[in-house]
Amino acid sequence: MKADKKKTMLSADAVKQALRESFLKLNPAVMIKNPVMFVVEAGAVIVLLMVVFPAYFQSQERLGFNIAVFLILLFTLLFANFAEAIAEGRGKAQASSLKKSKQDMSANKLIGESVNVVSSTELRKGDVVIVSQGEMIPGDGEVIDGLASVDESAITGESAPVIKEAGGDFSSVTGGTRVVSDQIKVRMTSEPGQSFIDRMISLVEGAKRQKTPNEIALNTLLISLTIIFLIVVVTLKPIANYLGISLEIPVLIALLVCLIPTTIGGLLSAIGIAGMDRVTQFNVLAMSGKAVEAAGDINTMILDKTGTITFGNRMASELIPVSSSSIQTLAEWAAISSLKDETPEGRSVLEWMKKREMSFQEAVAEGGEFIAFKAETRMSGIDLADGRCVRKGAVDAVRKWVISQGGTIPADLEQIANTISTLGGTPLAVAVDKELHGVIYLKDIVKPGMRERFEQLREMGIKTIMCTGDNPLTAATIAREAGVDDFIAESKPEDKIAVIRREQAEGKMVAMTGDGTNDAPALAQADVGLAMNSGTIAAKEAANMVDLDSDPSKMIEVIAIGKQLLMTRGALTTFSIANDVAKYFAIIPAMFMLAIPEMGVLNIMNLGSPLSAILSALIFNALIIPLLIPLAVRGVAYKPMSGAKLLGRNVLIYGLGGVLVPFVGIKLIDFAVQVWI
Amino acid sequence: MDILQMLVVVILLVLLVKPLGTYVYHVFSNEGNRLDKVFGSSERLIFKIIGLKRREGMGWKKYVLSFVATNFILAAFSYLILRLQHVLPLNPNGTGSMEPTLTFNTAISFITNTNLQHYSGESALSYFSQMAVIMMMMFTSAATGFSVAMAFVRGITSKGQTIGNFFEDFVKAHTRIFLPASFVITLVLVALQVPQTLDPTLTVKTLEGAMQQIAIGPVASLESIKHLGTNGGGFFGVNSAHPFENPNPLTNVIQILSMWALPASLPYAFGLFAKNKKQGWVIFTAMMCLFIVFLSFAYTSEKTGNPALSALGIDASQGSMEGKEVRFGIAQSALFTTVTAAATTGTVNNMHDTLTPIGGLVPLGEMMLNVVFGGKGVGLINMLMYAILAVFICGLMVGRTPEFLGRKIEPREMKLITVAILIHPFIILVPTAIAFMTDLGQGAITNAGFHGISQVLYEYTSSAANNGSGFEGLGDNTPFWNISTGLVMLFGRYISMIAMLAVAGSLMSKRHVPESLGTFRTDNALFTTLLIGTVLLIGALTFLPVIVLGPIAEYLTLG
């Protein structure tokens, strides 16, 4: 599912739609929202007037040049519009597939004791409906009675159905998902038009997109640069007049357009939309662009141990024989007792054997009778065909069993079991009839790759705090193994919020993931709260992001996307401003070379003629926008590393590159332009 | 030898930075220290007289109101004195009342620390005016700039709600910095034969028997504060080129250092406030790098001389000595010019109008940037503004929203900074264009062509940067020039100061973001480079087209 969500950027339909939008967006009323491009549009209109009424402007002999300038300006505008339209188009495609799941449907509304069939649009908050096998859930709600498996693939893309039941953390259901078995009673929790799917549609469509603070600040800077260059260009004319140099209006407009930051001005909104879109493609729903940006700023990340850092199942990590036995004997009996044991603990013993390439005689177990684990006995095992009984289970339970068989307890058992307990593990004793062979050390296993990811996070300057209900010793062991910076043991939901407040008081930005209702206050308190889609409505309401795949470790990717979004914005701004150097060297000598031939010295690119120099700079300025669209939409390459390294690398590519690239680009374009002049 | 001369002065300056910066920090840190024993009693007396017993910290708005009101009263007072100087005492030469637009220009010129002079001091001012207006405002304008800079620094480096008490800063800047320092420098200058007297102009009989008027007066005291306060208004029309103002190379070096050392020590003081000395050195290094580039251009260009003269067969091995004093030579003149424009003092020991085109571009460029050390406090504020800009643009490239000294740069700060970066090119380019569109403006130009553009551009740039040096050569004592440059000086000084104090106020109240590995560091060599790059890309490129039409065209067409 994930794969087909990542549509190629340029499907024919999307391009057609974006092209149409590019022209529609030329409407000055729309354009004024982007002041930088609005100035370009105003310039284009003035040049167009000079083309249409050459007699009035006495610009007859420059008609060809003016037409060229007008066309380049027009394309500059279209390219910028196209960038925005393409970015928006990707969101719209996603929205339309969501809309399909939002068709009007009928609902079985429960009024008193009777069931009435009504349209889903008539349902109000608090209404109760009955949803049976094969039916769509008519709106967001909470299961108040029953248990059912629900197919949520419409929103999550995950085809395996999930279990929803009344009470607890799995009671929330989403409108537009389908019940695949059983029947549930659901109480509506949202008004029509405000359901989760509705919000999701409007988010991915970008309809409710608000500019983030950073975007507003950057826009302010771009506007001020535009005004500065407007002053520069407007005042240049009277000053040049004093020298008897008459500067033509199209040339001045060309200079202006080249100097104002059109590259970033044209791509800024595309970068923002695409950033949100990248988050959505990761199956995370961000409630605002601000939340995505905030993710880039995170200093501290709070993670639950179970399910995020560890698998949550205890697994065999070591076998410790008592002094009277040997590791080989212990391993053999442990394996035989686990052969038919389907619990994760049992399977982990066999895996442990396989990993160490230890063998045992499976034949011994043939014909034996498996004894399943029971809460009363706290043991499982197998009664072999030859009469021997093998048992595996809690240490005191196995000890009692051995004593009851008439066996003796090895002296070092107590000590081994205690050591394992203090390390935070769970000891399982293994015995055969009267003889106790040793202990299986079960422990929570850290997910593979987590250590490396925490290492990366540390390099990015992000501190990780693990929350767990375990005792401090167990917590410390896991924390050390996983490589988190800090942990809270025996944590209660209130503890999380206290930690968040403490970190925030130090000025840090905090991210956390959660799913339960009791996580909701902490999710709301955190700067970035990522709720699991499997979680309760309360948790989803409180968070500013929802992970549709319910994978808590995805927070790390969200942070990377946030950083990438900010970096892309910074890189293209730097690039855009650095471009001005070369454009100056192309246009300034060209403007004055006729009146002051000595200015030729400044023509360091050795451009063919003043006219071709101006046109080449202008064409470069226009072409760079579509060339950078892929970068703007995809984001600049990002690998987790320290701030200093990232900066050094990006300054080199986008700062120095921004100075040098246009020199080459303008020169190449000039070769082509000269042919036509 | 030339290069050694300049190098020695630069090294002396660098050696002065740390002790002076530390001293300035202690003056304004508002923590008890040994200085209180020396100055405490006299300050307490002053505070008692002006009714400032409880010197509570002010928010940025109150600080702005206090310094603007104080400046306004001082300017109004000065305007009256200049208009009424013919009836006021201490006027042995019988100098008449000053013309209204010239008085407007002069009052603004001195309250804004510009010291643009559209008059000649020896003939247009009485001794009383020289002392009560010119010298008084040389102190107060410098103290105002210093106070505002310190308030700005406090705002961006500390937490809380207040950026200090303006009146306390203002008094301390006088009592602990400018008064004692100018007292010492005055005595040194007197020892080096700079006149200090209230006697009227001397009339002497020359060898040929003709009678000559020799202007004298309280020169040494004015000379010391003129440089210490980066004011630049000379006692005599020709300023520090006059043998009574600047008699020898030693006084020349003293004058260079006394205008340069305080602005250069401010970045270090800023580093102490920020509790990160490296942060201060980064700012200093960026300033110094730009300075060295400018100095090299000035020296090389003047040393190379004018190719047009060489073509006539005139020996140009001395360099371009036109408008320079032989007692200083090329090196001391080039250094003085580069420093005076860097520190926006505006004092001159050679005539900038006769510098070679590239030599003239140096002071022009420094004033356009207005960040190479800069005038009392203003240079530091401007450089920090560029630092914030650099952080904003490049900071994003580490993947975090930009932060400077642990504070987020958000829309409000950017809007205010926008005002500050816009105002400078606006008040330089727009009046320049207007001057060229009107006969009133064009009439004053004495050299047509490219040099005429430099003349006009220089006048407004000097006013906008509150430098005050003139390209001279411009016939500028007319109502048009008096009023237009008066307004430019006014806007150039106060708009950016107010905007930047607002930035400080807003940054101060923000949540402080702790530093981490992911933070964009602003205290290393890379940031120094980025800062210089930002200054050049945003500050310098703005003025490139007009510079091309002025000094660069003149240079290219010279040979």
Side-chain angles (χ1 to χ4, degrees):
Chain A
M1 184 67 193
K2 230 184 247 172
D4 62 48
K5 269 203 177 177
K6 276 189 191 149
K7 288 173 209 74
T8 49
M9 202 174 90
L10 298 169
S11 73
D13 254 9
V15 172
K16 218 187 277 171
Q17 177 68 16
L19 281 176
R20 215 172 69 89
E21 290 276 320
S22 314
F23 282 93
L24 290 178
K25 281 171 190 275
L26 285 177
N27 178 358
V30 179
M31 203 56 115
I32 191 101
K33 284 182 196 146
N34 185 346
V36 180
M37 297 318 285
F38 184 75
V39 169
V40 178
E41 184 163 50
V45 170
I46 294 172
V47 180
L48 179 64
L49 288 176
M50 298 183 77
V51 169
V52 179
F53 307 107
Y56 180 78
F57 291 94
Q58 294 171 341
S59 55
Q60 291 95 330
E61 72 257 44
R62 283 301 182 88
L63 199 59
F65 175 75
N66 291 351
I67 289 174
V69 171
F70 168 73
L71 286 177
I72 301 169
L73 293 184
L74 181 65
F75 273 100
T76 312
L77 291 166
L78 290 175
F79 288 149
N81 289 345
F82 183 73
E84 197 180 84
I86 274 282
E88 283 172 352
R90 301 224 290 172
K92 278 187 187 141
Q94 212 163 2
S96 68
S97 78
L98 279 173
K99 276 182 188 156
K100 282 182 200 143
S101 62
K102 219 208 113 198
Q103 296 138 351
D104 192 20
M105 55 188 109
S106 55
N108 307 317
K109 185 176 166 189
L110 200 64
I111 302 170
E113 287 299 307
S114 60
V115 173
N116 292 26
V117 177
V118 297
S119 156
S120 63
T121 52
E122 286 169 32
L123 290 173
R124 292 288 174 271
K125 201 169 170 178
D127 287 351
V128 176
V129 295
I130 291 176
V131 193
S132 311
Q133 187 171 349
E135 288 177 347
M136 288 261 214
I137 298 173
D140 290 0
E142 197 181 352
V143 182
I144 50 172
D145 192 23
L147 177 152
S149 55
V150 178
D151 172 11
E152 294 196 321
S153 61
I155 46 172
T156 64
E158 186 60 57
S159 50
V162 286
I163 304 289
K164 296 286 179 182
E165 59 184 325
D169 285 347
F170 298 97
S171 63
S172 84
V173 289
T174 312
T177 55
R178 188 179 297 277
V179 172
V180 286
S181 75
D182 305 297
Q183 176 179 319
I184 43 176
K185 217 184 261 182
V186 177
R187 186 194 290 123
M188 294 292 113
T189 52
S190 69
E191 298 288 343
Q194 289 165 19
S195 71
F196 192 62
I197 283 216
D198 290 309
R199 272 191 295 156
M200 199 160 155
I201 290 171
S202 78
L203 277 167
V204 293
E205 263 187 335
K208 271 209 271 175
R209 203 177 94 84
Q210 281 173 322
K211 282 196 175 128
T212 63
N214 179 260
E215 230 176 327
I216 295 171
L218 183 55
N219 226 354
T220 312
L221 175 70
L222 297 182
I223 293 171
S224 84
L225 288 177
T226 308
I227 298 174
I228 289 178
F229 287 119
L230 203 58
I231 296 170
V232 169
V233 170
V234 169
T235 55
L236 194 58
K237 191 167 168 61
I239 296 174
N241 267 347
Y242 168 74
L243 295 173
I245 303 171
S246 156
L247 295 173
E248 289 168 58
I249 288 173
V251 173
L252 287 172
I253 289 174
L255 176 65
L256 177 64
V257 170
C258 281
L259 295 182
I260 62 176
T262 48
T263 313
I264 181 67
L267 293 173
L268 187 57
S269 59
I271 295 171
I273 297 168
M276 286 283 281
D277 189 46
R278 272 202 301 283
V279 174
T280 319
Q281 282 185 21
F282 251 97
N283 260 0
V284 172
L285 195 60
M287 299 303 166
S288 68
K290 201 177 164 184
V292 180
E293 257 176 32
D297 278 348
I298 290 303
N299 302 85
T300 304
M301 208 164 116
I302 295 176
L303 298 146
D304 278 324
K305 184 198 80 173
T306 310
T308 311
I309 298 174
T310 64
F311 286 107
N313 304 322
R314 285 173 300 184
M315 301 203 196
S317 80
E318 220 179 311
L319 299 189
I320 306 169
V322 292
S323 54
S324 54
S325 184
S326 71
I327 178 97
Q328 185 60 40
T329 328
L330 172 63
E332 261 173 43
W333 289 117
I336 288 167
S337 72
S338 306
L339 262 178
K340 288 183 179 164
D341 186 355
E342 288 302 316
T343 63
E345 288 88 350
R347 266 177 291 164
S348 77
V349 172
L350 297 179
E351 267 166 44
W352 188 89
M353 298 283 288
K354 208 189 261 174
K355 225 190 268 170
R356 277 162 194 72
E357 289 171 356
M358 287 173 88
S359 58
F360 63 97
Q361 292 169 314
E362 274 184 57
V364 178
E366 249 166 61
E369 188 197 345
F370 177 66
I371 312 290
F373 178 85
K374 278 196 199 104
E376 306 93 76
T377 59
R378 294 193 294 144
M379 288 189 298
S380 63
I382 189 164
D383 290 343
L384 299 177
D386 61 8
R388 283 185 290 179
C389 297
V390 187
R391 288 293 179 274
K392 171 185 85 193
V395 174
D396 53 339
V398 174
R399 181 167 40 196
K400 266 184 211 151
W401 181 77
V402 170
I403 291 171
S404 72
Q405 302 275 318
T408 51
I409 303 303
D412 52 353
L413 175 74
E414 190 75 29
Q415 193 220 330
I416 294 171
N418 278 347
T419 315
I420 293 172
S421 300
T422 46
L423 282 174
T426 309
L428 282 190
V430 178
V432 183
D433 292 337
K434 291 180 195 169
E435 206 169 340
L436 206 153
H437 287 284
V439 178
I440 303 172
Y441 177 2
L442 287 182
K443 72 176 181 186
D444 213 352
I445 298 286
V446 174
K447 285 185 182 173
M450 285 316 274
R451 209 187 157 79
E452 289 72 25
R453 300 186 87 171
F454 290 131
E455 192 61 43
Q456 285 176 357
L457 285 172
R458 201 166 304 117
E459 262 180 49
M460 288 153 72
I462 296 169
K463 178 180 162 190
T464 42
I465 300 179
M466 178 182 86
C467 277
T468 169
D470 294 341
N471 64 53
L473 266 169
T474 316
T477 313
I478 297 284
R480 203 172 40 246
E481 254 175 62
V484 292
D485 299 304
D486 202 355
F487 65 87
I488 316 163
E490 289 166 354
S491 85
K492 297 178 287 295
E494 310 87 84
D495 291 341
K496 273 191 197 168
I497 213 168
V499 174
I500 295 174
R501 290 220 175 101
R502 188 190 73 204
E503 294 285 313
Q504 284 175 339
E506 290 171 23
K508 293 179 180 165
M509 301 273 278
V510 186
M512 76 160 277
T513 56
D515 51 10
T517 300
N518 51 20
D519 280 334
L523 281 169
Q525 177 73 33
D527 298 284
V528 175
L530 177 64
M532 301 298 105
N533 190 48
S534 58
T536 59
I537 292 277
K540 285 197 262 184
E541 294 272 324
N544 43 18
M545 286 189 202
V546 177
D547 178 19
L548 302 175
D549 297 338
S550 304
D551 169 12
S553 65
K554 222 186 246 178
M555 192 74 215
I556 300 173
E557 271 88 22
V558 174
I559 289 179
I561 293 172
K563 285 194 178 295
Q564 201 186 23
L565 168 68
L566 293 170
M567 273 166 51
T568 310
R569 205 178 278 156
L572 291 183
T573 307
T574 309
F575 186 82
S576 185
I577 295 174
N579 272 196
D580 277 5
V581 178
K583 292 179 198 161
Y584 260 126
F585 276 104
I587 297 190
I588 296 275
M591 282 171 96
F592 304 126
M593 224 141 66
L594 284 182
I596 314 166
E598 289 89 346
M599 284 284 174
V601 182
L602 296 181
N603 182 9
I604 53 172
M605 279 178 272
N606 201 13
L607 302 176
S609 69
L611 286 188
S612 78
I614 293 168
L615 289 179
S616 306
L618 211 48
I619 291 172
F620 175 84
N621 193 55
L623 284 183
I624 198 74
I625 296 177
L627 288 178
L628 289 177
I629 289 179
L631 185 68
V633 173
R634 233 183 17 235
V636 302
Y638 172 67
K639 277 190 210 115
M641 52 174 112
S642 74
K645 270 192 216 158
L646 268 177
L647 182 69
R649 181 172 156 275
N650 286 332
V651 164
L652 209 63
I653 300 177
Y654 300 100
L656 201 61
V659 174
L660 299 177
V661 166
F663 278 102
V664 179
I666 292 174
K667 180 71 192 163
L668 290 177
I669 295 170
D670 182 64
F671 280 130
V673 171
Q674 277 181 60
V675 178
W676 296 92
I677 290 185
Chain B
M1 191 60 200
D2 272 0
I3 291 170
L4 190 68
Q5 273 187 45
M6 295 187 286
L7 197 66
V8 166
V9 180
V10 172
I11 289 172
L12 279 176
L13 183 271
V14 174
L15 291 176
L16 279 171
V17 163
K18 203 171 163 181
L20 266 180
T22 313
Y23 181 82
V24 170
Y25 169 73
H26 285 307
V27 170
F28 291 102
S29 67
N30 292 345
E31 288 158 8
N33 55 51
R34 274 176 296 168
L35 293 172
D36 294 338
K37 276 189 198 149
V38 187
F39 302 103
S41 54
S42 55
E43 280 166 5
R44 272 192 294 279
L45 185 69
I46 296 171
F47 290 141
K48 206 170 177 186
I49 294 169
I50 59 175
L52 198 70
K53 271 187 205 150
R54 285 187 307 129
R55 299 176 290 281
E56 284 162 350
M58 299 170 167
W60 74 268
K61 283 182 193 153
K62 200 169 174 198
Y63 203 98
V64 163
L65 199 67
S66 308
F67 98 81
V68 171
T70 309
N71 277 209
F72 178 79
I73 293 166
L74 289 170
F77 180 64
S78 305
Y79 182 87
L80 287 177
I81 294 181
L82 291 174
R83 296 282 289 138
L84 301 172
Q85 61 177 347
H86 55 291
V87 295
L88 290 168
L90 276 178
N91 188 3
N93 296 331
T95 311
S97 163
M98 202 181 243
E99 187 267 327
T101 61
L102 181 59
T103 316
F104 168 79
N105 186 281
T106 307
I108 289 179
S109 167
F110 281 86
I111 197 66
T112 58
N113 199 260
T114 313
N115 297 20
L116 185 76
Q117 292 166 299
H118 284 176
Y119 63 89
S120 238
E122 60 269 49
S123 56
L125 294 177
S126 69
Y127 287 172
F128 184 70
S129 301
Q130 286 274 23
M131 293 192 291
V133 176
I134 305 303
M135 265 178 60
M136 182 271 293
M137 292 216 278
M138 282 185 168
F139 278 100
T140 57
S141 64
T144 302
F146 232 84
S147 305
V148 170
M150 287 302 137
F152 177 76
V153 167
R154 279 188 206 118
I156 63 173
T157 56
S158 69
K159 286 177 215 172
Q161 292 300 318
T162 61
I163 54 175
N165 182 302
F166 170 70
F167 299 108
E168 185 181 4
D169 291 344
F170 190 64
V171 169
K172 277 181 166 177
H174 281 101
T175 55
R176 299 193 182 195
I177 295 175
F178 294 113
L179 284 171
S182 59
F183 183 71
V184 173
I185 302 275
T186 304
L187 290 184
V188 173
L189 289 178
V190 169
L192 293 167
Q193 316 210 313
V194 177
Q196 174 74 9
T197 172
L198 289 178
D199 288 345
T201 302
L202 299 174
T203 308
V204 294
K205 201 172 185 179
T206 62
L207 286 175
E208 304 129 40
M211 301 301 280
Q212 188 187 354
Q213 308 269 322
I214 298 179
I216 51 168
V219 183
S221 56
L222 184 118
E223 211 55 27
S224 59
I225 187 61
K226 172 179 102 178
H227 291 112
L228 281 169
T230 65
N231 293 289
F235 194 92
F236 304 103
V238 295
N239 214 300
S240 279
H242 195 287
F244 284 174
E245 286 205 14
N246 190 4
N248 53 51
L250 189 54
T251 55
N252 199 50
V253 170
I254 290 174
Q255 298 194 351
I256 289 176
L257 286 177
S258 54
M259 64 175 142
W260 196 8
L262 278 171
S265 68
L266 283 182
Y268 185 80
F270 158 69
L272 292 177
F273 271 105
K275 300 200 170 48
N276 181 355
K277 287 184 200 162
K278 266 159 93 191
Q279 186 68 65
W281 285 116
V282 159
I283 303 287
F284 178 84
T285 312
M287 289 174 168
M288 196 48 135
C289 289
L290 288 166
F291 179 85
I292 298 289
V293 171
F294 279 116
L295 178 62
S296 320
F297 271 108
Y299 175 72
T300 322
S301 175
E302 294 308 308
K303 190 75 190 168
T304 314
N306 187 338
L309 284 178
S310 316
L312 291 174
I314 296 168
D315 173 28
S317 60
Q318 264 198 306
S320 173
M321 282 301 288
E322 187 193 353
K324 294 188 182 64
E325 298 292 307
V326 282
R327 64 182 186 282
F328 302 133
I330 298 287
Q332 291 276 338
S333 301
L335 183 60
F336 199 98
T337 294
T338 315
V339 173
T340 191
T344 70
T345 312
T347 167
V348 291
N349 80 346
N350 65 88
M351 293 302 110
H352 289 180
D353 198 22
T354 54
L355 288 169
T356 58
I358 299 299
L361 174 58
V362 165
L364 195 56
E366 282 178 311
M367 294 187 297
M368 283 167 168
L369 298 184
N370 207 7
V371 295
V372 187
F373 298 109
K376 279 293 92 66
V378 179
L380 178 67
I381 297 184
N382 282 337
M383 195 48 128
L384 289 174
M385 177 190 85
Y386 276 104
I388 296 177
L389 265 181
V391 162
F392 185 78
I393 297 169
C394 307
L396 281 173
M397 285 196 288
V398 300
R400 295 177 62 85
T401 54
E403 56 211 26
F404 183 55
L405 301 177
R407 290 158 171 88
K408 291 242 172 278
I409 313 296
E410 285 170 315
R412 184 178 154 76
E413 291 77 47
M414 283 315 291
K415 277 182 193 138
L416 291 164
I417 286 177
T418 294
V419 172
I421 54 169
L422 261 176
I423 191 72
H424 199 57
F426 184 83
I427 58 177
I428 292 175
L429 294 175
V430 172
T432 303
I434 292 173
F436 282 115
M437 289 189 323
T438 57
D439 290 336
L440 283 173
Q442 285 196 23
I445 299 167
T446 52
N447 286 66
F450 308 127
H451 196 76
I453 292 197
S454 301
Q455 284 187 334
V456 174
L457 190 61
Y458 195 100
E459 184 76 3
Y460 286 114
T461 309
S462 175
S463 304
N466 297 127
N467 176 293
S469 66
F471 223 32
E472 303 306 335
L474 193 70
D476 50 15
N477 183 13
T478 65
F480 172 83
W481 288 99
N482 285 338
I483 293 172
S484 65
T485 53
L487 293 174
V488 168
M489 289 187 279
L490 205 58
F491 297 143
R493 174 86 165 172
Y494 294 104
I495 291 182
S496 61
M497 270 190 176
I498 294 171
M500 294 313 286
L501 276 184
V503 169
S506 150
L507 285 179
M508 184 171 53
S509 54
K510 287 199 175 184
R511 209 163 81 166
H512 197 276
V513 186
E515 215 172 79
S516 74
L517 257 178
T519 308
F520 174 59
R521 296 199 70 87
T522 55
D523 57 356
N524 54 20
L526 180 60
F527 186 69
T528 314
T529 320
L530 290 176
L531 182 55
I532 295 174
T534 309
V535 168
L536 292 178
L537 273 176
I538 293 185
L541 283 188
T542 312
F543 295 104
L544 191 69
V546 66
I547 283 176
V548 164
L549 280 183
I552 292 181
E554 191 186 354
Y555 167 74
L556 289 174
T557 52
L558 205 59

